[in-house]
Amino acid sequence: MSTREVYVVDAVRTPVGRYGGGYAAVRPDDLAAHVLRALLDRSPGLDPASVDDVVLGNANGAGEENRNVARMAVLLAGLPTTVPGATVNRLCGSGLEAVIQAARAVAVGEASVVVAGGVESMSRAPWVLPKPDRAFPTGHQELYSTTLGWRMVNSRMRPEWTVPLGEGAELIAAKHGIDRATQDAFALASHAKAAAAWAAGDYAAEAVPYPGAELPRDESIRDGSTPEALARLKPVFRADGTVTAANSSPLNDGAAALLITDAAGLAATGREPLARIRASAVTGIEPRYYGLGPVDAVSRALERAGRRLSDLHVVELNEAFAAQALGCLAELPDLDPDIVNPRGGAIAIGHPLGASGARIAGAVAHQLAARGSGTGVAALCVGVGQGLALVLER
């Protein structure tokens, strides 16, 4: 079956807020509605009623985003009620999964114009109370935080599959001999690159600040950090470990959205696309080594696109942890580290789970547009052992 060309016409994102920071009072459905409205307002030639679907990633789904946040965002953004919406969950890869699903629908002719993206408010993630096994219990009941990580684990799950995310990073550090100093240096570089990118205006083309909480840049960036300051922090997951709060991605809030079309949809916008979507891949891996998931995903996606690592000009590799990102680079020795996260990564920018995949896909598209040509990859590790990758070209 022949497929259609798939274009990324535009991509926007909010500056990413820190946990309890600038977006702490903003509902996730409002964050999502904001990027939807901002994205479509930038293509005034496109009738919003022509949007065939809105697909958003969200990793929590237990709070204010619980009633299909994509559909709620459509309504809150003032789009016609005829525009549908679906929410997808592949944990940290949810936003990229939304982009991939949208691209697939366009490629096979089931849609002409789709908005894809993601949203997460880790600040507003609720505590949840499971229903008791029997009515009218007399003892105390336990609340679970839904901000991050495992909760209400099935007793049949093997313990090594349910290790904390940071312990998974420690395992990768041990596997590849990545010491604390190397991780801290990677983290410092992420902050420095992100700060420099904002100062240079590199994010101006995609940033759409939320009204009333106009963050001037991503709120978690610490461009004044020093190796000495990072070295003073204690490991979080092992007493003798290497993973600290500073060489890990923080908890964050944010949203991102991309306008994805076929040739007819592109013509309706009257715009030049940022990039084309060429291929994608999803893979599984041993859950405790979830952080290495992007390795096979990137390799498979490039094979499907008929490209090699040496053909790449920009890579956005989500930095869940410095050890995790460095482990992926160790297993992709032909990948030039200088083209990876050139404008900073999630350690500095932040990792609002459901939005991160859409953020990095949009980042690749904007960087390819700024170059004028080239091939790029967006890739993430996914908790519980998966990897996800997308190849874009211009």
Side-chain angles (χ1 to χ4, degrees), residues 123-255:
S123 293
R124 299 181 70 84
W127 290 277
V128 296
L129 179 66
K131 286 187 176 181
D133 294 333
R134 58 184 178 80
F136 311 114
T138 56
H140 298 293
Q141 301 298 305
E142 182 177 5
L143 285 169
Y144 291 82
S145 172
T146 65
T147 302
L148 178 70
W150 290 94
R151 80 234 19 165
M152 294 176 281
V153 179
N154 191 316
S155 61
R156 295 176 55 243
M157 289 288 283
R158 290 164 53 175
E160 66 270 24
W161 289 349
T162 62
V163 298
L165 297 171
E167 173 61 18
E170 291 281 13
L171 290 170
I172 293 171
K175 179 178 181 180
H176 286 287
I178 305 168
D179 62 23
R180 167 76 176 272
T182 302
Q183 294 175 52
D184 286 353
F186 184 90
L188 286 170
S190 183
H191 285 280
K193 289 187 290 184
W198 276 100
D202 292 339
Y203 283 118
E206 59 197 89
V208 287
Y210 187 88
E214 289 91 351
L215 300 180
R217 66 177 190 177
D218 300 310
E219 201 174 9
S220 294
I221 298 173
R222 296 177 180 271
D223 40 343
S225 294
T226 65
E228 294 76 20
L230 268 62
R232 287 194 291 269
L233 295 178
K234 294 182 178 180
V236 177
F237 300 94
R238 296 182 182 180
D240 61 346
T242 60
V243 177
T244 71
N247 56 41
S248 309
S249 61
L251 305 177
N252 298 97
D253 312 325

Side-chain angles (χ1 to χ4, degrees), residues 6-313:
V6 181
Y7 300 96
V8 177
V9 180
D10 200 0
V12 302
R13 71 171 179 93
T14 63
V16 176
R18 63 177 174 81
Y19 185 82
Y23 300 145
V26 182
R27 291 174 56 109
D29 47 2
D30 285 329
L31 281 173
H34 170 63
V35 292
L36 260 61
R37 187 72 267 170
L39 181 72
L40 293 176
D41 285 348
R42 287 164 44 134
S43 293
L46 181 69
D47 181 0
S50 68
V51 175
D52 294 300
D53 205 357
V54 172
V55 186
L56 295 183
N58 179 254
N60 196 322
E64 294 159 337
E65 71 281 79
N66 73 87
R67 292 287 290 171
N68 184 6
V69 69
R71 176 60 174 170
M72 292 191 294
V74 165
L75 300 176
L76 291 167
L79 274 62
T81 58
T82 53
V83 177
T87 303
V88 298
N89 186 346
R90 201 187 285 274
L91 297 181
C92 299
S94 298
L96 191 58
E97 176 67 23
V99 173
I100 290 170
Q101 290 196 19
R104 189 176 296 132
V106 171
V108 301
E110 292 184 352
S112 178
V113 179
V114 182
V115 174
V119 63
E120 203 77 47
S121 175
M122 300 177 82
S123 293
R124 299 181 70 84
W127 290 277
V128 296
L129 179 66
K131 286 187 176 181
D133 294 333
R134 58 184 178 80
F136 311 114
T138 56
H140 298 293
Q141 301 298 305
E142 182 177 5
L143 285 169
Y144 291 82
S145 172
T146 65
T147 302
L148 178 70
W150 290 94
R151 80 234 19 165
M152 294 176 281
V153 179
N154 191 316
S155 61
R156 295 176 55 243
M157 289 288 283
R158 290 164 53 175
E160 66 270 24
W161 289 349
T162 62
V163 298
L165 297 171
E167 173 61 18
E170 291 281 13
L171 290 170
I172 293 171
K175 179 178 181 180
H176 286 287
I178 305 168
D179 62 23
R180 167 76 176 272
T182 302
Q183 294 175 52
D184 286 353
F186 184 90
L188 286 170
S190 183
H191 285 280
K193 289 187 290 184
W198 276 100
D202 292 339
Y203 283 118
E206 59 197 89
V208 287
Y210 187 88
E214 289 91 351
L215 300 180
R217 66 177 190 177
D218 300 310
E219 201 174 9
S220 294
I221 298 173
R222 296 177 180 271
D223 40 343
S225 294
T226 65
E228 294 76 20
L230 268 62
R232 287 194 291 269
L233 295 178
K234 294 182 178 180
V236 177
F237 300 94
R238 296 182 182 180
D240 61 346
T242 60
V243 177
T244 71
N247 56 41
S248 309
S249 61
L251 305 177
N252 298 97
D253 312 325
L258 292 80
L259 181 59
I260 298 173
T261 74
D262 61 7
L266 177 64
T269 70
R271 300 182 61 180
E272 180 181 350
L274 299 176
R276 300 187 308 276
I277 291 176
R278 292 300 306 271
S280 65
V282 60
T283 57
I285 193 172
E286 176 72 19
R288 58 185 162 177
Y289 287 109
Y290 72 92
L292 299 175
V295 174
D296 281 346
V298 168
S299 298
R300 291 190 192 185
L302 286 174
E303 182 180 0
R304 290 170 183 171
R307 298 290 182 267
R308 298 173 296 179
L309 288 169
S310 58
D311 296 322
L312 296 176
H313 299 90

Side-chain angles (χ1 to χ4, degrees), residues 319-372:
E319 301 168 355
F321 297 88
Q324 166 267 321
L326 288 164
C328 289
L329 293 177
E331 297 197 10
L332 294 168
D334 294 333
L335 176 59
D336 179 0
D338 290 339
I339 68 170
V340 177
N341 302 344
R343 299 178 179 178
I347 288 175
I349 293 168
H351 184 14
L353 305 179
S356 290
R359 178 190 73 78
I360 66 171
V364 171
H366 276 289
Q367 289 173 66
L368 291 176
R371 283 181 48 86

